[in-house]
Amino acid sequence: MNRATLTGGGAILLWATLALFTAATGATPPFLLTALTFAIGGLLGLAVAALRPGGLAALRQPWSVWLHGVGGLFGFHFFYFTALKLSPPAEASLVAYLWPLLIVLFSALLPGGGLTVRHVVGAALGLAGAATLIAARSGGLGFEAAHLPGYASAVACAVIWAAYSVSSRLFHAVPTEAVAGFCLGTAALAALCHLALEPAVWPAGAAEWGGVVALGLGPVGAAFYLWDVGMKRGDVRLLGVAAYAAPALSTLLLVATGYAEATPALGLACALIVGGALVATFGGRRRAGDTPSVEDSRPG
């Protein structure tokens, strides 16, 4: 496992704190919260880039790069919030969590993708773990035809995020500092959606604003920079499988902080997710003549 893969794993660890910090933001509506946190994440990136020689020049990119970056970040969040509005949260979340599996499958399209059965099995076990966890939280899953528009939105957000993540490999020449611009673009679009679709309910008090800042610095800030590094230079398939650890780690954090209770379903979910990661990582050794892995294929 190379350094870039470990860096991408850091994003997954930060995303595990998403539910905890979001719970601390009170009744702040989703698009306003997205606008605030992405603005913080974007300014964080600009501050870091400004300290590097020529760092801010990274924002001067072709329109196709901006379309890819802002489209991926904003598109995922727009369709995810739409899915939550049009269908039950549990079912919407489960469908949206197809994105790690899709990352594993889409990685086969990359040069030297080297997708194997063990990666698909590992991702499927991870999805089963996420399903177990979500079903336990909601008391069961019941997909109904009346909620099809919501499920379609959840599929769209999963496809958008997986496509954005995997296709980042094709934009390997774009420096990670450019993600700061993508975050600020996402913040601007989210602010427009907030003005058009939501009531103005701002965070109340220091604790809720603290939750907003924590989100902007971590799971909605630094995480996207780390993920960019992982997708461009790390093992895409392994990161896709490992991403299923986020909901389990998130629940463990909620249990540790008193927001949730430990249940047998949590233990089963963790076992499935860890098992899937082990299958994907150690399920087989590459023999001479096998297709090289994504990590071994350096984009030229």
Side-chain angles (χ1 to χ4, degrees):
M1 186 183 299
N2 70 3
R3 183 177 299 177
T5 304
L6 292 173
T7 300
I12 296 170
L13 293 177
L14 286 175
W15 286 331
T17 67
L18 187 63
L20 178 62
F21 291 146
T22 300
T25 62
T28 308
F31 281 114
L32 175 57
L33 187 60
T34 300
L36 293 172
T37 53
F38 270 98
I40 293 171
L43 292 174
L44 169 67
L46 287 183
V48 173
L51 299 176
R52 299 179 178 179
L56 293 180
L59 299 180
R60 293 197 289 268
Q61 298 294 335
W63 68 267
S64 57
V65 173
W66 283 93
L67 179 62
H68 171 261
V70 178
L73 294 179
F74 177 73
F76 169 81
H77 288 84
F78 177 83
F79 281 105
Y80 180 67
F81 295 143
T82 301
L84 292 179
K85 188 173 183 179
L86 298 179
S87 57
E91 286 81 351
S93 296
L94 179 58
V95 174
Y97 247 103
L98 288 171
W99 67 261
L101 176 60
L102 291 177
I103 283 179
V104 173
L105 297 177
F106 289 173
S107 71
L109 302 176
L110 293 173
L115 183 65
T116 64
V117 172
R118 62 189 173 90
H119 292 106
V120 177
V121 171
L125 286 172
L127 179 60
T132 300
L133 201 55
I134 293 170
R137 285 181 188 168
S138 61
L141 296 170
F143 291 91
E144 299 179 7
H147 299 132
L148 280 178
Y151 303 148
S153 296
V155 170
C157 83
V159 171
I160 287 171
W161 187 248
Y164 163 78
S165 297
V166 174
S167 60
S168 293
R169 199 78 165 196
L170 306 179
F171 293 88
H172 61 275
V174 177
T176 293
E177 287 84 354
V179 174
F182 307 156
C183 288
L184 293 176
T186 298
L189 292 175
L192 292 176
C193 288
H194 164 66
L195 293 174
L197 303 171
E198 296 176 337
V201 181
W202 290 81
E208 292 189 5
W209 276 108
V212 171
V213 172
L215 282 172
L217 295 177
V220 191
F224 292 112
Y225 300 96
L226 300 178
W227 190 247
D228 186 73
V229 172
M231 287 295 105
K232 287 178 177 175
R233 301 180 182 86
D235 189 327
V236 173
R237 304 158 309 174
L238 183 55
L239 285 171
V241 175
Y244 279 117
L249 292 173
S250 176
T251 303
L252 289 172
L253 278 175
L254 293 174
V255 170
T257 52
Y259 284 95
E261 295 182 359
T263 64
L266 174 59
L268 176 59
C270 289
L272 287 168
I273 291 168
V274 171
L278 291 175
V279 168
T281 307
F282 304 111
R285 293 183 177 178
R286 207 157 37 103
R287 297 178 301 274
D290 282 351
T291 305
S293 70
V294 175
E295 189 173 15
D296 292 334
S297 178
R298 292 287 183 268

